[in-house]
Amino acid sequence: MEKKVFIKTFGCQMNEYDSKRIYDSISKIGYRKSYDQNNVDCYILNTCHIRDKAKEKVFHEIGRVKKIYRGKNKPIMVLAGCVAQAENQEVLNREPYIDIVIGPQSYHKINDLLENHITKKKIEETDFDSVSKFKYYDGIENKNTSISAYLTIQEGCDKFCHFCVVPYTRGPEYSRPFDQIINEAEQLVKNGAKEITLLGQNVNAYYFKENSKVYRISDLINHLDKFSEIKRIRYTTSHPKDMTDDLIECYKNNKKLMPFVHLPIQSGSDRMLKLMNRKHKVEDYLDIYFKIKKFNPDVEFSSDFIVGYPGETQQDFVDTMALLEKIRFVNSFSFIFSPRPGTTAANLEMIDYEIAKKRLIIIQEKLFNNQIELNKSLENKKIKVLVENKLSDQNKLFGRNKYLSSVIFKGSENLIGDMIDVKITNSNQNTLFGEIESNMKAA
Ligand code: SAM
Ligand code: SF4
Ligand code: F3S
């Protein structure tokens, strides 16, 4: 009998990719994706543990589900993702409504767990087994039909930045076999993908060796470049330490690699980078920036910043702001440090929260202004947009420009999947608005 499932996804693109693969997997045992969360047999929360707020969101969400199902048959409640991995048994004690706890490296077991689920018997699966997980994924077709598709090539992290939970929730670095990735890219293309974003917690640490040949992310990018159906290639998230010359050279040689580098730096102060255990200096970052800019001046950088990390002085913050004068970052993220249990920084003395908040406001004002200025500079210009979908309830299309900014414009559905010219008429910080001048398709 067909059963209905709803997956709510929090956190990063890796979770979004996994949620889609979970759908692919459990469709084999009769589960069908439901868009109505009020009436399902199985409710999966795919969670994120990166900051404290993210974890609290999960418990809030479970409270909401409980309310929805009061007086009705309770769905099998599955807690997946990074909170599941980090909290495992504890989460079952805190929230008895949860039936199954499954960490990100155990999704190859999800069908068995659901099929053998017996009411009242709680299950917890949190081994780090990336090899089995991806072997399993390789055996089931990726049914994703998005124009812009994610493809995980690498998982886990060996860097152990002192603030970060990822090495504890996703385990050690693992790179998928090159051929399996290409095989999955072929499936995505067959199902209509025109843009592929290669994913990994440290995506540019991708390293796969077979018969004494080493494959890096640059090999994947150059291989995907040959697919005539693929119009755009992206990758995220990278670490400056793994930004090797072969990848940097892709910005010279590869036409489909988008001129947009998301490269988190966290701070513009060498002292802070050392305290955070980031393993590089500001100068190394600037070297990468200028090398890439030399190959292709059109490239823009985006980054992640943490303010209020333990020990951050006013001078450290001034250094970060000085870096923002050297590089005009666009589309960037900034956060106040959130202490995470089990990480080195969790035991350090916090700085005054009010000071951290003020610093966040200052850095965000600068970053948001950069974004507004970039978007303004595109007004009255024609830009290339890959059309991804129609906006629900509106006669409008949604796409993205090369810098990943959202573009909204009127147009007919048959343009979905095309690369078209859109004239930008208006903009705000987050979105570009435009019109199609002649329905002319761009190359
Ligand atoms: N692997 C990427 C890198 O090396 O930069 C980042 C991955 S992490 C999922 C995304 C971002 O979350 C980080 O770049 C950092 O800015 C932020 N982040 C991680 N841990 C944090 C914490 N404890 N408090 C605040 N922000 C945090
Ligand atoms: Fe976290 Fe650092 Fe690893 Fe990025 S490199 S996932 S910030 S530990
Ligand atoms: Fe969050 Fe885990 Fe991604 S902690 S950011 S979902 S790797």
Side-chain angles (χ1 to χ4, degrees):
M1 205 187 72
E2 195 175 76
K3 290 159 282 184
K4 285 180 264 173
V5 61
F6 183 83
I7 308 183
K8 179 137 188 158
T9 308
F10 299 89
C12 63
Q13 295 98 329
M14 312 261 319
N15 267 9
E16 284 180 42
Y17 172 83
D18 279 330
S19 288
K20 289 201 167 168
R21 301 302 274 143
I22 290 172
Y23 278 127
D24 290 339
S25 171
I26 63 179
S27 70
K28 291 188 168 303
I29 54 167
Y31 279 97
R32 188 172 52 82
K33 178 176 178 170
S34 170
Y35 294 91
D36 174 14
Q37 53 183 299
N38 301 319
N39 186 19
V40 290
D41 305 281
C42 175
Y43 201 112
I44 302 179
L45 286 181
N46 194 0
T47 60
C48 172
H49 201 243
I50 203 78
R51 283 168 290 277
D52 201 42
K53 257 194 204 144
K55 191 181 103 187
E56 284 315 310
K57 262 192 216 160
V58 170
F59 291 102
H60 177 80
E61 187 61 24
I62 294 172
R64 229 176 45 79
V65 177
K66 274 182 182 169
K67 257 193 212 151
I68 297 175
Y69 286 89
R70 196 168 288 153
K72 296 194 216 169
N73 275 346
K74 172 187 179 305
I76 303 177
M77 188 81 207
V78 181
L79 187 76
C82 290
V83 174
Q85 185 66 44
E87 308 270 313
N88 49 59
Q89 191 59 42
E90 248 173 65
V91 100
L92 284 177
N93 301 339
R94 172 166 168 185
E95 187 44 88
Y97 200 75
I98 299 170
D99 299 293
I100 296 171
V101 171
I102 182 164
Q105 272 69 37
S106 299
Y107 295 147
H108 50 289
K109 296 185 181 158
I110 194 150
N111 285 17
D112 284 350
L113 296 183
L114 285 175
E115 285 202 303
N116 299 323
H117 169 72
I118 305 161
T119 320
K120 291 208 171 75
K121 188 167 179 309
K122 306 288 174 190
I123 307 172
E124 185 236 309
E125 273 295 343
T126 49
D127 285 347
F128 284 136
D129 191 359
S130 300
V131 177
S132 304
K133 167 183 172 174
F134 286 106
K135 232 186 193 156
Y136 179 74
Y137 280 0
D138 292 340
I140 43 173
E141 192 189 339
N142 187 326
K143 298 222 180 84
N144 176 73
T145 54
S146 316
I147 297 298
S148 174
Y150 291 138
L151 174 46
T152 294
I153 64 165
Q154 179 279 343
E155 178 140 31
C157 179
D158 298 336
K159 302 270 186 311
F160 289 91
C161 301
H162 286 164
F163 51 80
C164 184
V165 285
V166 170
Y168 308 95
T169 61
R170 296 277 176 167
E173 282 178 9
Y174 167 76
S175 294
R176 294 179 70 182
F178 184 85
D179 286 350
Q180 299 297 356
I181 296 168
I182 298 303
N183 196 26
E184 194 168 326
E186 281 165 3
Q187 290 170 18
L188 292 170
V189 163
K190 190 186 87 192
N191 292 333
K194 305 284 182 205
E195 171 176 281
I196 291 191
T197 303
L198 304 174
L199 294 183
Q201 267 91 26
N202 270 286
V203 73
N204 57 342
Y206 178 81
Y207 182 99
F208 178 71
K209 197 169 177 182
E210 195 174 49
N211 303 329
S212 73
K213 170 148 176 55
V214 170
Y215 296 89
R216 302 297 313 267
I217 188 171
S218 54
D219 297 301
L220 283 165
I221 292 169
N222 290 327
H223 194 99
L224 292 180
D225 185 61
K226 294 187 203 127
F227 283 53
S228 60
E229 300 89 341
I230 296 178
K231 295 182 173 153
R232 286 177 168 182
I233 304 166
R234 302 181 189 272
Y235 62 92
T236 198
T237 299
S238 340
H239 190 286
K241 195 100 185 77
D242 295 310
M243 212 70 202
T244 46
D245 283 344
D246 52 322
L247 176 54
I248 291 176
E249 277 184 20
C250 288
Y251 289 93
K252 184 165 75 177
N253 304 325
N254 191 298
K255 292 280 162 285
K256 292 182 183 170
L257 179 63
M258 287 296 97
F260 181 63
V261 184
H262 181 62
L263 191 62
I265 184 164
Q266 317 299 350
S267 169
S269 149
D270 280 342
R271 208 181 69 86
M272 293 316 294
L273 293 181
K274 191 151 201 273
L275 287 177
M276 290 173 170
N277 194 29
R278 287 291 290 179
K279 301 177 171 73
H280 68 89
K281 294 191 167 175
V282 175
E283 197 187 318
D284 303 320
Y285 192 97
L286 286 169
D287 273 355
I288 298 166
Y289 175 78
F290 287 116
K291 266 190 199 164
I292 292 183
K293 276 292 218 189
K294 204 171 132 203
F295 285 150
N296 183 356
D298 196 29
V299 173
E300 296 288 356
F301 271 57
S302 93
S303 200
D304 293 346
F305 297 90
I306 295 180
V307 296
Y309 185 78
E312 187 186 63
T313 62
Q314 184 58 21
Q315 184 55 50
D316 294 315
F317 181 64
V318 166
D319 290 348
T320 299
M321 293 307 291
L323 175 69
L324 267 61
E325 293 301 325
K326 289 191 184 124
I327 301 180
R328 186 192 64 161
F329 290 103
V330 298
N331 261 328
S332 296
F333 302 95
S334 44
F335 317 94
I336 294 181
F337 166 69
S338 165
R340 312 306 298 123
T343 60
T344 307
N347 306 319
L348 303 176
E349 197 183 327
M350 296 278 285
I351 76 159
D352 184 335
Y353 188 70
E354 288 308 311
I355 293 178
K357 244 172 48 188
K358 276 190 195 139
R359 289 180 185 163
L360 186 72
I361 291 169
I362 294 168
I363 195 169
Q364 287 194 334
E365 198 190 345
K366 174 82 185 153
L367 292 170
F368 293 167
N369 271 337
N370 286 356
Q371 194 60 41
I372 291 169
E373 275 171 23
L374 172 72
N375 287 354
K376 267 251 164 293
S377 73
L378 297 174
E379 286 183 14
N380 296 317
K381 293 208 173 103
K382 240 196 264 172
I383 60 167
K384 295 219 185 305
V385 174
L386 176 61
V387 188
E388 290 187 26
N389 53 270
K390 185 174 177 283
L391 287 183
S392 50
D393 310 330
Q394 291 180 50
N395 186 19
K396 286 191 179 139
L397 298 175
F398 171 89
R400 288 186 189 274
N401 72 350
K402 56 191 173 186
Y403 302 132
L404 214 55
S405 299
S406 307
V407 189
I408 294 176
F409 51 98
K410 261 196 194 149
S412 81
E413 260 175 88
N414 61 17
L415 291 173
I416 293 173
D418 285 346
M419 185 84 86
I420 61 165
D421 282 339
V422 175
K423 186 175 169 209
I424 300 306
T425 51
N426 202 351
S427 69
N428 60 31
Q429 184 194 319
N430 297 318
T431 314
L432 297 159
F433 301 93
E435 57 194 28
I436 306 169
E437 277 192 324
S438 59
N439 260 11
M440 193 182 70
K441 286 182 192 178

